[in-house]
Amino acid sequence: MAGDAAERAYKARALAQAHPLTRTATRIRTRAVAQEEADQPMVELARWAGEALLKGYCLRRVEEQAAGVASDPADEGIDLDELETRTSEIAAELRGGDPAPHLLGAADLTFEALDRIITSELSNRADNYREAVDVAGWRQFEEYIAWWTVRGYALRAAEAAQGAHP
């Protein structure tokens, strides 16, 4: 199973380079990064959050493809605020509730792939940020990147569910 999770994480990172977001997801990501840029003391944090969101979103797309359920919901008529609310609910359920309704396969496989993506994102940022913060600050950063990665996965799950139930 570790190989499957590694392969899914790899495919998600590769897919992220191909601009895989729907127009709606692009708008959500752009809006989220802009808000983070306004809220965070370092603009880089917002950009890193956007990258983590993208990778989590791509993992869900990789899983959809593997399950044979890949489709892009219509972009017209989607309420961004409603989609963001549903995304937050799904992200919370993935992190501490009942994730099963939002997963396409084995929970341990999805969570291992998410962990691999999070680890990769942290590794990519370590040189730029780790020395700038203390141990507690780095731990907060780890949580921040984990949250945005899971949020990306949740965004795609919410988007796909909305497309399936207009």
Side-chain angles (χ1 to χ4, degrees):
M1 175 177 32
D4 291 340
E7 181 179 341
R8 287 185 182 198
Y10 173 80
K11 286 180 177 179
R13 287 189 301 269
L15 181 59
Q17 297 175 13
H19 307 291
L21 299 172
T22 61
R23 286 185 311 212
T24 299
T26 298
R27 290 172 41 212
I28 295 276
R29 181 178 180 231
T30 300
R31 191 158 93 167
V33 169
Q35 185 62 54
E36 285 297 294
E37 285 177 345
D39 293 345
Q40 293 298 335
M42 291 176 52
V43 173
E44 292 85 2
L45 292 173
R47 293 185 189 128
W48 297 339
E51 283 301 307
L53 181 140
L54 175 62
K55 305 288 182 7
Y57 182 94
C58 288
L59 175 61
R60 174 61 186 223
R61 287 193 68 131
V62 165
E63 290 182 349
E64 289 172 2
Q65 186 176 28
V69 296
S71 67
D72 283 329
D75 281 321
E76 294 82 34
I78 293 182
D79 181 323
L80 293 183
D81 293 330
E82 183 180 310
L83 182 59
E84 282 187 343
T85 297
R86 188 63 189 131
T87 297
S88 293
E89 292 168 355
I90 291 172
E93 290 169 11
L94 289 170
R95 288 181 55 107
D98 179 13
H102 312 294
L103 302 176
L104 295 174
D108 51 349
L109 181 60
T110 296
F111 290 123
E112 185 175 340
L114 282 167
D115 284 345
R116 287 174 177 275
I117 291 168
I118 293 163
T119 299
S120 176
E121 287 299 294
L122 291 169
S123 176
N124 291 341
R125 312 301 174 221
D127 289 343
N128 296 325
Y129 192 63
R130 190 166 204 153
E131 292 180 14
V133 296
D134 60 13
V135 172
W138 182 255
R139 182 69 186 132
Q140 287 178 324
F141 182 64
E142 289 174 332
E143 287 295 321
Y144 182 75
I145 292 299
W147 166 247
W148 282 102
T149 305
V150 171
R151 188 167 179 77
Y153 186 95
L155 170 59
R156 180 59 187 180
E159 183 181 52
Q162 214 172 30
H165 304 90

